[in-house]
Amino acid sequence: MKRRKLVLTLLACLLVLGAAGALLAAGRRPFRGLEGADIASATVWLTPPDVTVAVPDTEALAALLREAVVYRRDDTYVECTGQGVVYTVRLADGTTREITAFSPFLIVDGVGYRTKHEPCEALNRYANELLQAGDAAFVLASPPAGWVYSGTGSVGGVLGTYSWRTREPDGSVTSTEADSPHPLDCRELLAGLDTESAEAEFQWAVPPDELVSVRCWPDSRWGDTTAESTAVPAAGTAVSLRPGGWIYEVEARWEDRGYGGGTARYLFYIVRA
C-alpha cells in the first residue's frame, strides 16, 4: 500500500511539473489586456542611431505590445550587440512602463526575458517605420550629435553654444541656454580630420531644418580669441574646404514641432592636404 501511494505521489508531482513546464514553454503576455485608450503618450528611442521619435498611434502600439511573449528571465542581453528600440509608455493612470525590443530579448522595466521572435521583431520594425516616415516627430531633448565627412574619413563634432527648448511629458517646457569657450580655445577638445578631398559634408542624427551659418579660423591662430573668422558658403550641408588646417563652426537650427528644438553650434577641426 505504501509503495502504491508513493508511486501515485510521484506521478502527481510529475504531472504538476509537466504542467508547469508546458506553461513556461508557452510563455506569457505581460501586456495582454493593454488597449490604446490606456496609453496617454509614448515615445521610442532607437539605438543606433540614438534618436527618439514620438509614437502617434497608441492603438497600433497597444496591439503590438499585446502580442509580445516572454519566457524565462535572461539578463545576458547586456553581452549582445545590435539595434535596440526602447519604448517609453506613459499610461493614463500615471505610471510609466519601459519596454525594450532587442530580439531574442524583451526587457520590461529593466528585467530581461527571452522572447518570441516575431512579436519582438514587429516592435523593432514599427519603430524603424516611424523613424523613416517623412513626417516623423523627433523628440529632441537636446541638440543631436553631429559629424563631418570628407573623402573616406569622418569625425564627430564638439557641441558648442546652444539655445534649446524641451517639452516635458506633463506638457511643460524647459528652456536651456548653454555657452561654450571660444572655438580657438577648444584645441584639446577637437579631434582632427585629415583629408585630401576639397569638400566636406556635415550630418546630424536628426537633420536640421536650416544650416544657419558656417565660419572658420586658421589653426595658426589657436588660443587667439581676437582673431576674425571667415564666412564659408554652404550648399545644403556641404562646404568647400580651404587648404591647410581650419577650425570650422557650424550653426544649425531645428524647428520646435512640439517635441523640442532650437539652435546649436558645432566645432570641427579639418586639415586639408
Side-chain angles (χ1 to χ4, degrees):
M1 182 65 68
K2 289 183 179 180
R3 181 176 180 181
R4 184 169 179 272
K5 286 183 178 180
L6 178 59
V7 171
L8 291 174
T9 301
L10 289 173
L11 287 173
C13 290
L14 289 172
L15 288 172
V16 171
L17 290 173
L23 183 62
L24 181 62
R28 62 183 181 87
R29 298 185 179 184
F31 302 101
R32 179 187 293 274
L34 185 68
E35 299 291 340
D38 300 326
I39 301 175
S41 65
T43 61
V44 59
W45 174 46
L46 299 90
T47 177
D50 195 20
V51 295
T52 302
V53 182
V55 178
D57 190 342
T58 57
E59 290 288 351
L61 177 58
L64 291 170
L65 289 173
R66 284 197 300 270
E67 295 302 312
V69 179
V70 297
Y71 302 103
R72 60 181 175 83
R73 179 169 177 171
D74 189 338
D75 292 326
T76 60
Y77 65 86
V78 298
E79 302 171 4
C80 299
T81 59
Q83 187 191 49
V85 299
V86 183
Y87 289 90
T88 299
V89 181
R90 299 175 182 87
L91 300 177
D93 64 7
T95 59
T96 298
R97 307 295 302 274
E98 186 176 276
I99 305 100
T100 301
F102 187 37
S103 189
F105 304 96
L106 195 74
I107 306 151
V108 181
D109 298 329
V111 179
Y113 301 91
R114 284 283 175 167
T115 189
K116 188 175 181 180
H117 173 73
E118 289 79 7
C120 186
E121 181 59 26
L123 284 165
N124 187 289
R125 184 167 56 251
Y126 181 57
N128 279 279
E129 289 172 355
L130 292 176
L131 175 64
Q132 295 162 12
D135 58 349
F138 291 97
V139 180
L140 297 172
S142 60
W147 300 266
V148 62
Y149 293 82
S150 182
T152 59
S154 67
V155 70
V158 171
L159 177 63
T161 298
Y162 65 89
S163 175
W164 209 258
R165 287 164 52 89
T166 304
R167 188 170 299 276
E168 305 297 337
D170 62 3
S172 63
V173 174
T174 300
S175 296
T176 304
E177 302 290 333
D179 204 358
S180 71
H182 191 282
L184 292 175
D185 278 340
C186 295
R187 184 171 188 173
E188 300 302 321
L189 301 177
L190 292 170
L193 172 62
D194 295 318
T195 181
E196 296 181 357
S197 174
E199 295 184 345
E201 182 174 359
F202 303 103
Q203 294 186 9
W204 287 266
V206 177
D209 293 285
E210 179 188 7
L211 200 64
V212 178
S213 66
V214 182
R215 56 181 183 157
C216 65
W217 295 261
D219 61 4
S220 61
R221 305 301 294 273
W222 282 120
D224 181 5
T225 58
T226 65
E228 294 291 331
S229 64
T230 301
V232 180
T237 58
V239 297
S240 295
L241 297 175
R242 292 169 170 261
W246 293 80
I247 301 91
Y248 291 81
E249 182 184 70
V250 182
E251 182 176 5
R253 181 186 65 83
W254 287 261
E255 183 178 345
D256 185 353
R257 296 182 172 85
Y259 296 97
T263 59
R265 296 178 181 180
Y266 298 79
L267 303 179
F268 303 90
Y269 178 34
I270 307 174
V271 180
R272 176 189 165 191

